[in-house]
Each structure stands twice: as C-alpha cells, then as structure tokens.
Amino acid sequence: MKPAPFEYVVVRSINEAIEALGRNGADSRIIAGGQSLMPSMNMRQTRPAYLVDINGITDLDYIHEISSGIAIGALTRHRAVERSEVIRSVCPILQEAVKHIAHFQIRNRGTIGGSLSLNAPGAEYGVIARLLEAEMVISSPDGKRVVPADQFFVGHFKVDLKNNEILTEIRFPSLPQGAGYSFLEVTRRHGHIPIISTAAMITLDGKDQIAEIRVILGNVSEHGVPYRVKAVDRLVGQKFNVDTIEGLAKEISDEVNPNEDADTEAAFVKQFSGMTGRRVSELASAEYRKEVAGTLSTRALKIAFKRTKGGII
Amino acid sequence: MVEAVSRKKISVTVNGVSYEKEVDVRMLLVDFIRRELQLKGTHTGCEQGVCGACTILMDGEAIRSCITLVVQADGCNVQTIEGMGSPNNLHYIQEAFQENHGLQCGFCTPGFVMSVFSFLDENPNPSDEEIREALSGNLCRCTGYQGIIKSVKCVARKMEEVGIVK
C-alpha cells in the first residue's frame, strides 16, 4: 500500500522544526530515518497530515565524549553508533545493542532519536537508556528540558514529548570502571522485532562481592516501558555464584507481569486487525515472555559477571 | 517560514544521470525509480523494509527504497541494479551469482546484488557467519540461500584475486 496524502516540509534547524510542528498542529509528525514511520504510513496505520523532515538538521548528527560518558545527537544514524571508536571505548554496551537493530540497510537510515521517541516494545536503545539511566535533552518552544530515561518512557509507543517538541540529544553515562555488561534479545529470526530483550550490568567491590547490579527487560512490562528487575537487588553484597543465583530465574519470572490485554492496546498489535498478542506472528504470548524473562536475565547476568575484572564462573 | 507542500520539484542523480522532476511528496523512492524512470530492476516485495527486494544505494549506502520518500532523495546520488552491469557486461557480483546458482526466479536478486556490493565494500574478506548476518535482511523464496552464500564467497575470492581493495 501507499501512504495517505500529506503535506511535506523540509526544515534545517531545530527552531524551524518546532515552528513547523506548532504551525501544523497535532497531525504533524517528524520524519527522520523513517524506518519505522514509513512502514506504518505505507500500511496506513499512521496518517499524519504533515511531515516535517528533519534530515537537514545535520548539527544533530554527532557522537561526543563528555565528562560523564557519551552525548549522542538525536539524528545520529544507528550505523554511526555501530562504527564509532569513541563509543567502543567509552560505552561499548551501546554497540552491542545497536547491532541487533534490524539489518544494516535499516541501520544506515534509522536514528537514535527516532527509535527512542517511538518507544516500540523491547526496543534496544530504550533498554540501554534505562540501564545506564540516560538523559533525554528536549527542545520545545519554551526552551530546553532534560528528562531522565525512567520518566521519558510513559507507555506503549508513548514518551514524554509534546507534539511540538523534539528530542535533540541523549546523554549516556558510561559504565563504572570494571563493570561487566551484556545485552541479549530473543527474536523470531535474526534482525526481527525483539520478543524480549535484556540488558544487565554488574560491578564488584574489592572482596568480589556485588556492589551494583541492574537488569532491564524490554517487552515484559504491562505498562509498555523498559522494566527494571527488582529480584536482583538481593544479590548486592553477595558473591555471584551458583548458590547465590539459585532460584533467581524463577524469582524474576514471578516478578514480571506481561499482559495480553495491555498488548492489544499497543498500536503495533492493532495493525493486525485486532488480533490478540498470542496470535500475532511478531509477538510471543505473555506466558512465554514471563517464562523467558527469568532465563534470559540470568544468562545476561552470567555474561556480565564474566566480563567484570577477573570474573570467572 | 517554510511552507508545507504536496508536490515538490526535486533533483536526483540515478546511475550517473541527472533528473529534475516534479513529484507528489508521498511518492516512494522505489515507485519513482520504477514508474518515473522506467528502471524496473528494483522490486517491491513488502513496502515494510523487511524483504530487501527494493535495496538500492543512496549516496553510497544501501537503503530500502520502499520506505524512503522520493523527496528525501532530493540532491542525492542513487545507484540501482541497472547501474551495476548489463547483460553483455556483467558486474563481477552478477557474474558470481550466475556461476554459482545464486538465483532462480531473480526477484530478490537485485536487492541481494546491491546489498552484497555494499557489504563487501566494507568487509571484503567475510567469514561465512558474517555473510549470513549481513544478508539476513534479504529474503529469497527460491534458492534456500546456499547458492547465494556460495556466490558471495566467490565474489570475495574474485575481489581478492583481482586485487580490489577498498
């Protein structure tokens, strides 16, 4: 199918973008890479009356090392993140996650700002942003505001962004020295939509005990946001070994609560004419995701632990 | 103040030829290539960006022309399968596909050739694993992929022998 008719404007600055969005009202959408928007428009699931093309705001395409970690401009393509030497040394978990986004042809166009603003279930950048407690820098007619990741993701395909606002920069704190990390996801086939994704990090203290431990799960929360696992908190102050993690997978599965009714609320599922989450080929049942949440998290933690300084299992 | 429009005049270079056309802003790049320029080698398989049949190069990068608006190609350099070679003068990638049963019906093939060209440009000496991963974004219903993998390995070998290093 082809997109429904719309009007189109090219903007070359953030101010022009905000002005164009404001002028054309609630039916305006930003188009950056368009790798999620255009499939949706081609299926006529989304029918914006106005498209504001921001690909000309080249000032928003950058990767900078900052004192706390990395600042990435919202228009930075996934492929740039994938190839960046700076990110490889300062924030390698970002590269590990971005490699899972679709295929290289998509990554040549898709942008980090677009991905985060969409908040698709299980999206790789969202899970990493939540793990590292990234900050979103947003420009609006009233100026700039900064929103932490845990407040930015609000619901299924919903973020804290008004229609006339634009995400301009994302600041990722780097992991602490010696931290182990990992990113894993389960998909129907390579490069396809994440059924469930997870990011984990561990740091050890001088006595090989866990100082910090964090696991984020994507596409398990009934609220449609990246989910921070609580069950792992009991491991703080303990060593990471077969005994301490016994039962952890089940505890995590018990804790999470994916919900198929919530799934049907997600516009993503609606495109398949109201079929429930269980029947849609791209998603797996809530039951499956609940079960796999524990296994995948534990696997991610084991990898993260192996990567801490001197970690062995 | 920039005005929103429903039609736009664009300039785009395709396979080395410059075009200036007025287009509907909602026209997809693949449809521009096929209908306006009559270059039928680029195919539409899904209009979702997942099958890879529409893959072309824009400013040197492999992209999905089915999820790119033609107006987004304004000022850009596009290369399609027609720009790679011709029946009497096959590109070495097309040669390799021909020699190694890399195609049957040929519908997915232009997308594969463009993707392989782009992939090998960056990684001229790939492992099997890397080839499979790189081409996971191109779907083929006929061959079962073995012939395609063989073709790509053959290209990599040809490139090495001829000394094509990028």
Side-chain angles (χ1 to χ4, degrees), chain A residues 1-12 16 19-20 23-24 31-36 38-44 50-51 53 55 79 83 99 102-109 189-192 271, chain B residues 1-6 8 25-28 30-31 35 44 46-50 52 55-56 58 61-64 66-69 71-72 74 111 114-116 118-119 122 132-139:
Chain A
M1 280 188 30
K2 313 294 174 185
F6 57 85
E7 292 195 335
Y8 172 85
V9 60
V10 173
V11 294
R12 304 215 179 265
E16 268 186 16
E19 195 266 326
R23 185 177 4 132
N24 293 309
I31 184 166
Q35 304 298 280
S36 290
M38 285 308 301
S40 183
M41 286 177 65
N42 284 349
M43 297 263 281
R44 301 208 169 188
Y50 300 97
L51 274 193
D53 189 330
N55 288 287
R79 281 289 261 177
R83 291 163 168 153
K99 285 188 173 74
H103 308 284
F104 76 91
Q105 299 92 334
I106 304 289
R107 295 198 292 273
N108 276 335
R109 294 287 291 168
R189 51 185 178 271
H190 186 85
H192 209 255
Q271 87 184 31
Chain B
M1 205 158 76
V2 200
E3 287 301 315
V5 294
S6 56
K8 193 167 184 207
V25 296
R26 68 174 171 140
M27 179 175 248
L28 303 175
V30 64
D31 292 329
R35 297 187 199 165
T44 310
C46 68
E47 289 180 332
Q48 295 285 292
V50 299
T55 307
I56 54 152
M58 190 161 89
E61 291 186 327
I63 63 155
R64 308 293 209 207
C66 72
I67 51 174
T68 306
L69 294 168
V71 286
Q72 293 185 298
D74 189 16
M114 303 313 289
S115 299
V116 168
S118 180
F119 164 62
E122 205 174 296
R132 286 173 189 281
E133 164 137 19
L135 297 184
S136 59
N138 290 77
L139 302 181

Side-chain angles (χ1 to χ4, degrees), chain A residues 93 131 175-176 179-182 199-203 212-215 301 304:
Chain A
I93 191 175
L131 181 85
L175 286 169
Y181 62 87
S182 72
M201 76 89 111
I202 297 183
T203 57
E212 255 188 283
I213 180 167
R214 217 180 294 156
V215 174
L301 279 171

Side-chain angles (χ1 to χ4, degrees), chain B residues 148-164:
Chain B
I148 293 174
I149 307 291
K150 223 174 142 217
S151 303
V152 177
K153 283 161 74 168
C154 171
V155 179
R157 225 172 22 249
K158 275 186 205 254
M159 282 168 68
E160 213 181 342
E161 283 164 17
V162 176
I164 297 173

Side-chain angles (χ1 to χ4, degrees), chain B residues 97-155:
Chain B
F97 271 65
Q98 187 187 56
E99 291 163 7
N100 292 278
H101 299 289
L103 70 156
Q104 290 180 27
C105 82
F107 189 84
C108 70
T109 311
F112 266 102
V113 172
M114 303 313 289
S115 299
V116 168
F117 179 75
S118 180
F119 164 62
L120 289 177
D121 195 43
E122 205 174 296
N123 186 356
N125 200 10
S127 64
D128 273 26
E129 182 71 36
E130 286 169 331
I131 294 173
R132 286 173 189 281
E133 164 137 19
L135 297 184
S136 59
N138 290 77
L139 302 181
C140 173
R141 300 295 282 142
C142 295
T143 65
Y145 301 102
Q146 302 300 334
I148 293 174
I149 307 291
K150 223 174 142 217
S151 303
V152 177
K153 283 161 74 168
C154 171
V155 179

Side-chain angles (χ1 to χ4, degrees), chain A:
Chain A
M1 280 188 30
K2 313 294 174 185
F6 57 85
E7 292 195 335
Y8 172 85
V9 60
V10 173
V11 294
R12 304 215 179 265
S13 72
I14 297 170
N15 285 336
E16 268 186 16
I18 291 173
E19 195 266 326
L21 289 167
R23 185 177 4 132
N24 293 309
D27 270 332
S28 325
R29 291 291 293 272
I30 292 173
I31 184 166
Q35 304 298 280
S36 290
L37 181 63
M38 285 308 301
S40 183
M41 286 177 65
N42 284 349
M43 297 263 281
R44 301 208 169 188
Q45 186 197 346
T46 308
R47 305 183 194 209
Y50 300 97
L51 274 193
V52 180
D53 189 330
I54 63 165
N55 288 287
I57 313 181
T58 48
D59 283 350
L60 286 182
D61 184 351
Y62 58 85
I63 298 169
H64 293 152
E65 192 174 349
I66 55 177
S67 53
S68 53
I70 291 271
I72 305 181
L75 204 58
T76 306
R77 314 283 168 179
H78 303 324
R79 281 289 261 177
V81 172
E82 199 180 343
R83 291 163 168 153
S84 162
E85 285 299 326
V86 174
I87 290 181
R88 195 188 322 278
S89 57
V90 177
C91 200
I93 191 175
L94 258 175
Q95 271 186 354
E96 195 152 296
V98 83
K99 285 188 173 74
H100 286 88
I101 299 180
H103 308 284
F104 76 91
Q105 299 92 334
I106 304 289
R107 295 198 292 273
N108 276 335
R109 294 287 291 168
T111 65
I112 184 170
S115 171
L116 287 167
S117 306
L118 180 65
N119 190 27
E124 293 83 354
Y125 273 132
V127 171
I128 299 297
R130 194 65 181 83
L131 181 85
L132 299 179
E133 297 182 330
E135 291 183 324
M136 317 295 178
V137 182
I138 295 163
S139 282
S140 75
D142 307 317
K144 257 199 233 183
R145 61 191 182 95
V146 180
V147 180
D150 64 348
Q151 290 165 36
F152 182 70
F153 305 110
V154 168
H156 286 95
F157 296 97
K158 281 204 200 86
V159 295
D160 180 10
L161 259 187
K162 295 194 191 56
N163 194 257
N164 62 353
E165 292 182 320
I166 172 172
L167 180 60
T168 55
E169 177 180 279
I170 306 90
R171 298 175 188 154
F172 290 94
S174 49
L175 286 169
Q177 266 284 1
Y181 62 87
S182 72
F183 176 86
L184 297 172
E185 72 177 35
V186 177
T187 53
R188 285 267 170 175
R189 51 185 178 271
H190 186 85
H192 209 255
I193 296 154
I195 292 171
I196 178 171
S197 52
T198 186
M201 76 89 111
I202 297 183
T203 57
L204 303 177
D205 64 18
K207 298 188 218 142
D208 267 1
Q209 289 161 163
I210 293 171
E212 255 188 283
I213 180 167
R214 217 180 294 156
V215 174
I216 306 292
L217 285 164
N219 202 21
V220 298
S221 166
E222 57 188 323
H223 302 294
V225 301
Y227 177 79
R228 180 167 171 166
V229 175
K230 297 184 188 58
V232 297
D233 292 341
R234 69 161 173 82
L235 289 169
V236 175
Q238 300 203 37
K239 298 224 162 132
F240 188 91
N241 57 41
V242 168
D243 296 317
T244 58
I245 66 170
E246 192 185 331
L248 184 65
K250 182 163 190 312
E251 287 162 41
I252 295 174
S253 290
D254 287 344
E255 179 187 331
V256 299
N257 190 26
N259 180 305
E260 264 159 30
D261 291 330
D263 288 343
T264 58
E265 287 307 304
F268 182 77
V269 178
K270 277 186 181 148
Q271 87 184 31
F272 295 95
S273 312
M275 292 164 105
T276 63
R278 194 188 293 270
R279 299 237 182 105
V280 175
S281 63
E282 271 75 16
L283 299 178
S285 67
E287 199 186 314
Y288 174 81
R289 283 177 280 143
K290 191 174 165 67
E291 171 104 21
V292 173
T295 320
L296 199 67
S297 302
T298 318
R299 194 181 295 174
L301 279 171
K302 287 179 186 170
I303 296 170
F305 176 70
K306 262 194 224 178
R307 285 173 166 167
T308 56
K309 213 166 55 153
I312 52 166
I313 197 151

